[in-house]
Amino acid sequence: MNLTPEQRVTLHGFNNLTKSLSFNMYDICYTETKEEREAYLAYIDEQYNADRLTAILKHVAEIIGAHVLNIAKQDYVPQGASVTLLVSEGPVVEVPDESFEESPGPLPESVVMALDKSHITVHTYPEYHPDEGISTFRADIDVSTCGEISPLKALNYLIHSFDTDIMTIDYRVRGFTRDICGHKLFIDHEISSIQNYIPDEVKSQYHMIDVNVYQENIFHTKCKLKNFDLNNYLFGRTKEKLSEREQQEITDRLTIEMDEIFYGKNIAMNGT
């Protein structure tokens, strides 16, 4: 189905397709001491508290053209936060041509689109290794929409809203809608890869893997940052204060941590 905006199928009633984007990001840090770990978790809690996450999700709602009906948000003790936005159809002006193309979305600007009852959620998960000095922060964001625009148009903004070492992104179109002749449509836009919704300058920074099930309209992309500068992963210190051996040991631990998250399996260190 290769439709231009002028060739869009006329539907029988509302677009009943459900399009779901799941965006998971990871930030990795080396925190050797208890004090460093506590300081890192405090920084994460401040940087990604419920108020800031709410602001991010409000921008997502603007990008996909949604009215926010209700906001539920919570900061947790000792750490973590959750925000849920219930959204409904926004005022319909005109569907931009690019909503049917595989291309990155705005950063952000108001894109007013048709959208029915749906939701946007975010949950954060700070955690740390019990004895190896590794702390990780994960944020899970889910954007579920009905209507003509894909939530993938919010992906570019989400990527730029977080300091991200690793990303896992899932997109799925579920259900079906009908044209005026009663013919079922199981997807209403062309898509070959989630990567086509990520700007080239961002893609150049990451190793990327696709796992797609085209016949089921299921798309999956994993991304891991290419460049490694140890100073970006130390909290409360710099690598210049470490011996070369310490730098290498910490680099090895961080690299294994990122590889395990990226590939989804435990990896033995030093052949053990």
Side-chain angles (χ1 to χ4, degrees):
M1 184 183 62
N2 191 12
L3 299 177
T4 68
E6 292 74 21
Q7 297 171 324
R8 292 199 302 271
V9 173
T10 302
L11 300 181
H12 172 69
F14 186 73
N15 189 333
N16 290 316
L17 292 169
T18 299
K19 305 165 189 175
S20 300
L21 169 67
S22 178
F23 172 76
N24 312 105
M25 60 75 61
Y26 296 84
D27 179 76
I28 317 298
C29 188
Y30 183 77
T31 52
E32 183 175 17
T33 67
K34 177 182 178 182
E35 290 74 21
E36 288 177 356
R37 182 172 67 245
E38 291 176 348
Y40 172 74
L41 294 178
Y43 163 78
I44 287 296
D45 258 11
E46 177 63 27
Q47 185 74 6
Y48 298 110
N49 59 41
D51 287 338
R52 179 165 185 260
L53 294 173
T54 298
I56 291 173
L57 295 197
K58 284 182 176 179
H59 280 308
V60 171
E62 291 176 4
I63 290 171
I64 63 176
H67 279 321
V68 177
L69 297 177
N70 184 64
I71 299 174
K73 60 182 179 179
Q74 180 65 51
D75 287 306
Y76 298 111
V77 177
Q79 60 263 153
S82 295
V83 180
T84 299
L85 271 63
L86 178 65
V87 297
S88 68
E89 179 175 322
V92 181
V93 179
E94 181 180 355
V95 178
D97 295 353
E98 62 269 18
S99 69
F100 288 86
E101 299 173 355
E102 292 183 88
S103 60
L107 272 182
E109 59 189 48
S110 183
V111 180
V112 181
M113 300 291 302
L115 187 76
D116 203 6
K117 300 175 186 67
S118 195
H119 66 271
I120 310 169
T121 66
V122 59
H123 305 284
T124 67
Y125 303 90
E127 67 91 52
Y128 57 89
H129 192 284
D131 53 29
E132 288 192 359
I134 302 291
S135 293
T136 64
F137 166 70
R138 182 177 111 238
D140 294 350
I141 298 180
D142 292 286
V143 185
S144 180
T145 69
C146 299
E148 295 188 2
I149 195 170
S150 166
L152 283 166
K153 288 298 182 180
L155 180 57
N156 187 26
Y157 169 67
L158 289 173
I159 292 172
H160 283 81
S161 297
F162 296 90
D163 294 323
T164 306
D165 296 311
I166 298 167
M167 299 181 288
T168 61
I169 308 162
D170 294 280
Y171 178 66
R172 183 177 183 183
V173 181
R174 293 174 292 170
F176 65 89
T177 195
R178 295 182 187 271
D179 65 18
I180 56 175
C181 297
H183 181 71
K184 292 184 180 72
L185 302 174
F186 294 93
I187 193 167
D188 64 351
H189 64 93
E190 292 287 333
I191 176 172
S192 59
S193 172
I194 292 173
Q195 293 189 34
N196 294 332
Y197 291 84
I198 302 174
D200 289 340
E201 63 270 21
V202 175
K203 288 191 289 187
S204 67
Q205 301 172 27
Y206 289 88
H207 298 291
M208 309 184 82
I209 296 175
D210 267 13
V211 181
N212 301 318
V213 186
Y214 295 104
Q215 65 271 27
E216 299 294 336
N217 296 322
I218 297 173
F219 306 88
H220 176 75
T221 295
K222 297 193 291 187
C223 315
K224 185 181 73 167
L225 204 61
K226 291 179 180 177
N227 294 330
F228 184 92
D229 182 347
L230 184 55
N231 277 330
N232 293 334
Y233 297 89
L234 299 175
F235 197 84
R237 65 177 73 189
T238 63
K239 65 182 181 182
E240 286 74 23
K241 296 181 179 181
L242 302 172
S243 67
E244 289 188 7
R245 180 178 178 179
E246 289 174 320
Q247 290 183 38
Q248 189 59 55
E249 288 178 349
I250 295 172
T251 296
D252 289 343
R253 289 181 183 179
L254 290 167
T255 300
I256 288 176
E257 180 77 6
M258 288 187 281
D259 284 346
E260 287 182 340
I261 294 171
F262 185 63
Y263 293 109
K265 63 180 182 179
N266 290 302
I267 299 173
M269 186 173 180
N270 297 327
T272 60

